[in-house]
Amino acid sequence: MAACLFGVVACGGGGKPAADAGSDETSLVGKPAPDAEFASLRGGKPLKLSALRGKVVLLDFWASWCVPCQEELPLLDDMAGRLSSKGIEFIGVSIDEEKGDAERFLERKKSWALKLGHDPEQIGAKLFNPPKMPTSYVIDRDGVVRHMNAGFERDDVEKVEAQLTAAASAE
């Protein structure tokens, strides 16, 4: 387990609300999302962001060792079940070095509605440069990052869902 592989210094949480970072010069908010590709966890084809153009995407970077991630991912999965009919795709990408660590975490739930990717060398994560674990990105139908949510607190669920539904409603 390596918590500082690509600049992530800690898990998010501990009283800090998710940031909608658009002012940070390194933020991708308002810019086209990098066309990252991730290996699929639990079988399947690789996940390529450009293949989802035309849909709103929530891209979430997580790790099995991150306590806030352990709470957030099942909540995002519940959200994916509710919002997938609105043309919203959910991708959870593990940055665990060992695939087995991510897979053991995923065994906590029988099935997952969100798509699950693996980025053990943090190639895709380096393109997005999440400031902490977890970090999620709301990407609009044109492939532009509209929101970045760094860290996780339970209250963030409503905020993220509102961001996604607003993006899905936009023409």
Side-chain angles (χ1 to χ4, degrees):
M1 147 175 93
C4 197
L5 296 173
F6 59 88
V8 172
V9 289
C11 287
K16 293 185 180 180
D20 188 9
S23 59
D24 179 14
E25 353 178 314
T26 62
S27 175
L28 291 173
V29 175
K31 300 175 185 170
D35 189 16
E37 185 171 324
F38 307 102
S40 178
L41 276 172
R42 308 189 117 191
K45 296 179 182 180
L47 305 169
K48 189 167 183 157
L49 283 181
S50 63
L52 298 173
R53 193 69 43 91
K55 295 186 177 198
V56 172
V57 176
L58 179 80
L59 175 64
D60 184 69
F61 288 98
W62 64 278
S64 64
W65 44 261
C66 167
V67 175
C69 300
Q70 294 170 10
E71 181 180 5
E72 179 202 44
L73 201 63
L75 295 172
L76 291 180
D77 190 66
D78 292 344
M79 193 184 305
R82 289 192 313 276
L83 300 182
S84 63
S85 64
K86 295 182 179 187
I88 301 172
E89 289 284 340
F90 287 75
I91 300 176
V93 178
S94 166
I95 62 155
D96 284 289
E97 290 177 341
E98 300 296 326
K99 186 177 183 179
D101 292 339
E103 289 174 334
R104 276 187 291 285
F105 171 78
L106 295 173
E107 289 173 358
R108 295 178 182 187
K109 200 170 171 179
K110 186 176 180 177
S111 65
W112 293 85
L114 53 83
K115 294 179 179 176
L116 296 160
H118 189 220
D119 191 19
E121 295 174 9
Q122 290 83 44
I123 294 168
K126 286 176 185 172
L127 295 172
F128 281 85
N129 196 27
K132 58 177 77 172
M133 288 287 104
T135 293
S136 65
Y137 299 85
V138 175
I139 304 168
D140 71 14
R141 288 185 175 98
D142 295 324
V144 175
V145 177
R146 292 298 168 195
H147 303 278
M148 178 182 77
N149 300 289
F152 176 75
E153 294 289 327
R154 190 169 272 284
D155 293 344
D156 295 338
V157 172
E158 290 176 17
K159 175 184 174 182
V160 171
E161 188 163 341
Q163 291 170 347
L164 290 166
T165 54
S169 299
E171 297 273 332

